Amino acid sequence: TRTQVAIVGAGPSGLLLGQLLFKAGIDAIIVERQSGDYVLSRIRAGVLEQVTMDLLDEAGVGQRMHAEGLIHGGFDLLFKGARHRIDMNKLTGGKNVIVYGQTEVTRDLMDARQAAGLPTVYEAENVQVHDFDSAKPRVTYEKNGQLHTIECDFIAGCDGFHGVCRASAPKSAIKEFEKVYPFGWLGVLSDTPPVHHELIYANSTRGFALCSQRSATRSRYYLQVPLTDKVEQWSDEAFWAELRNRLDPEAREHLVTGPSIEKSIAPLRSFVTEPMRFGRMFLAGDAAHIVPPTGAKGLNLAATDVKYLSSAFIAYYMDKTEAGIDAYSERCLRRIWRAERFSWWFTSLMHNFPENGDIGQKFQDAELDYLIHSEAGSRTMAENYVGLPLNFGE
Ligand code: FAD
Ligand code: DHB
């Protein structure tokens, strides 16, 4: 088989890239290791920035998001037992975020891809990328015991943190930056009404907690837990009791509990690969970078990488220029480092770090006090949370 762009990975990055290229008349094939149902079963992100909403509209898949997504103009910070609202909308001159689950984004993109009859190979085994340092790159995979080859102009590595693309880049050409945090997030999804109509990010002496949601009847909650904890150790009762302990009296009273419909632990890490281009292979999304989830930036960064990449490919095929391709890595990385810094900072501010002692907690309290009571502090927080525009700094 031959195509213009071979996309590895059918998560949000790969699917969005496929859709943006399709709109521009560029051929692509997506090769995914898992089944479609498996990809849809991974409960992850919930918050989309305005730029991500705009990109989903541009890809022609924004309809259900606008109908079902929940617009949020603010969120609460809880510390020392009291909640304080950050009025994002007011502080940023009218910007909002939307609460719409990653699984829904993925489903909308999968449906659009299927409706357009575009090729996706699911359950592809032993996916490998070849010769991307030449003009004739190839992707090979096995399916039902048979070896398949896709010849292409470019390879897009949208295969997540554990993917094959970054792992195939020459070690001498790649530099990785990494920080692993000494705790994880235990997440629970439940068909219960959210404790509050907006998100609550809580700093407590017992550890961080986040109250999020998917709809008026579905909640998503997270707890900071030791990395050594196993999900089997956490009964639903234990989860709700611990969450309650980390909330303020009003939220405690309003919390509605029920059986969990998903429960998982995710480690927290900051990670960036430089560069993001290796000859004719380009990395996008979690394949190139990871942020700790506190700032809700991962999926949003993936979407903007993909926008820069699709624009670069479109300029290559339509305008016969390699300028976009050459600028891709640098353009992405500047935006990525800004989001990495914010996510690291917000994570450091909100979690328990016993190794920092009592003074560490006092520093956090003082910084939160400043953020709440200084308009400059609140605006800094709001401006970063709603996200940078695509063309920031240009
Ligand atoms: P992935 O979603 O990881 O997709 C990669 C795909 O490639 C997968 O389907 C995988 O099966 C496939 N693949 C892997 N290896 C191969 C291979 N060798 N061959 C073929 N296919 C392969 N982000 C936000 O913006 N907001 C949030 O609120 C938020 N909350 C989060 C909460 C949690 C608990 C977690 C874990 C993450 C959260 N994120 C959030 C981050 C967000 O989920 C990721 O950034 C996003 O999934 C990245 O999309 P991706 O397509 O780049 O990678
Ligand atoms: C969700 C996840 C996040 O990491 C975050 O910062 C906000 C919301 C969520 O899953 O709803």
Side-chain angles (χ1 to χ4, degrees):
T1 323
R2 211 202 119 75
T3 191
Q4 289 175 302
V5 181
I7 301 173
V8 184
S13 302
L15 288 166
L16 180 61
L17 179 61
Q19 214 55 29
L20 292 173
L21 293 179
F22 165 65
K23 292 267 160 189
I26 297 169
D27 281 343
I29 299 178
I30 303 184
V31 181
E32 163 65 49
R33 178 165 65 179
Q34 306 284 355
S35 68
D37 283 343
Y38 180 91
V39 173
L40 281 175
S41 73
R42 290 185 301 219
I43 309 297
R44 306 222 276 200
V47 177
L48 308 182
E49 296 172 3
Q50 185 65 51
V51 287
T52 307
M53 284 183 247
D54 294 345
L55 284 173
L56 292 170
D57 280 333
E58 186 182 330
V61 299
Q63 224 174 341
R64 203 161 63 92
M65 170 186 72
H66 290 296
E68 297 176 17
L70 308 167
I71 303 272
H72 284 208
F75 58 86
D76 281 1
L77 292 176
L78 189 167
F79 69 104
K80 290 212 275 186
R83 267 196 269 154
H84 309 265
R85 184 167 188 264
I86 298 288
D87 190 338
M88 273 187 297
N89 183 284
K90 195 168 126 211
L91 290 161
T92 60
K95 292 186 187 162
N96 298 309
V97 297
I98 193 165
V99 171
Y100 189 63
Q102 176 169 334
T103 45
E104 307 310 316
V105 173
T106 307
R107 189 188 303 278
D108 295 343
L109 285 163
M110 281 170 78
D111 288 352
R113 189 166 180 83
Q114 197 174 12
L118 303 173
T120 313
V121 181
Y122 283 100
E123 298 177 305
E125 288 164 38
N126 192 20
V127 176
Q128 291 185 21
V129 291
H130 311 268
D131 299 336
F132 47 83
D133 55 346
S134 79
K136 292 187 166 178
R138 283 174 299 125
V139 173
T140 56
Y141 63 94
E142 288 162 31
K143 177 135 187 176
N144 303 327
Q146 252 193 313
L147 180 71
H148 298 263
T149 301
I150 303 171
E151 293 172 356
C152 56
D153 299 332
F154 299 106
I155 297 171
C158 300
D159 50 350
F161 183 65
H162 299 287
V164 67
C165 291
R166 188 183 73 249
S168 304
K171 291 283 161 286
S172 58
I174 190 169
K175 181 159 171 57
E176 298 181 346
F177 300 83
E178 180 170 48
K179 177 180 175 66
V180 177
Y181 299 83
F183 43 74
W185 276 21
L186 169 64
V188 155
L189 189 69
S190 65
D191 278 324
T192 53
V195 66
H196 184 58
H197 68 281
E198 291 179 341
L199 272 58
I200 305 174
Y201 287 89
N203 171 308
S204 90
T205 51
R206 301 182 66 95
F208 170 79
L210 168 58
C211 305
S212 184
Q213 54 193 260
R214 290 290 177 273
S215 72
T217 56
R218 183 167 284 188
S219 299
R220 180 69 166 161
Y221 297 105
Y222 297 98
L223 294 177
Q224 173 186 355
V225 295
L227 268 178
T228 45
D229 277 18
K230 297 277 165 280
V231 70
E232 302 78 41
Q233 287 168 245
W234 282 91
S235 66
D236 289 356
E237 290 66 33
F239 182 90
W240 294 120
E242 184 57 31
L243 176 62
R244 200 173 260 128
N245 271 326
R246 296 184 190 189
L247 298 179
D248 58 292
E250 193 197 334
R252 231 171 255 171
E253 200 177 309
H254 280 102
L255 183 67
V256 179
T257 64
S260 64
I261 49 179
E262 194 267 358
K263 198 190 279 156
S264 54
I265 294 184
L268 269 71
R269 119 179 35 240
S270 298
F271 175 87
V272 181
T273 302
E274 292 189 354
M276 291 167 60
R277 173 199 182 178
F278 304 89
R280 288 181 164 251
M281 178 172 77
F282 298 78
L283 304 179
D286 280 18
H289 44 79
I290 297 288
V291 285
T294 325
K297 291 286 169 237
L299 176 56
N300 292 297
L301 275 185
T304 45
D305 286 358
V306 159
K307 171 63 182 175
Y308 293 146
L309 188 55
S310 63
S311 304
F313 287 152
I314 291 167
Y316 175 86
Y317 287 112
M318 307 301 152
D319 307 332
K320 311 269 180 276
T321 167
E322 298 197 11
I325 284 173
D326 290 339
Y328 172 72
S329 201
E330 207 178 323
R331 212 171 166 206
C332 287
L333 283 163
R334 183 165 175 217
R335 201 167 187 288
I336 289 160
W337 278 115
R338 290 280 297 262
E340 289 280 349
R341 188 219 55 95
F342 171 68
S343 303
W344 157 77
W345 167 80
F346 196 25
T347 301
S348 310
L349 180 67
M350 299 307 291
H351 291 73
N352 241 18
F353 293 85
E355 63 276 26
N356 293 348
D358 291 343
I359 195 169
Q361 178 71 40
K362 288 285 185 189
F363 285 153
Q364 285 183 343
D365 288 349
E367 184 158 5
L368 282 159
D369 188 32
Y370 164 69
L371 281 181
I372 300 306
H373 293 108
S374 153
E375 169 145 328
S378 299
R379 180 166 288 126
T380 297
M381 169 87 226
E383 191 175 71
N384 282 283
Y385 194 88
V386 298
L388 297 166
L390 263 183
N391 59 348
F392 82 98
E394 281 175 11

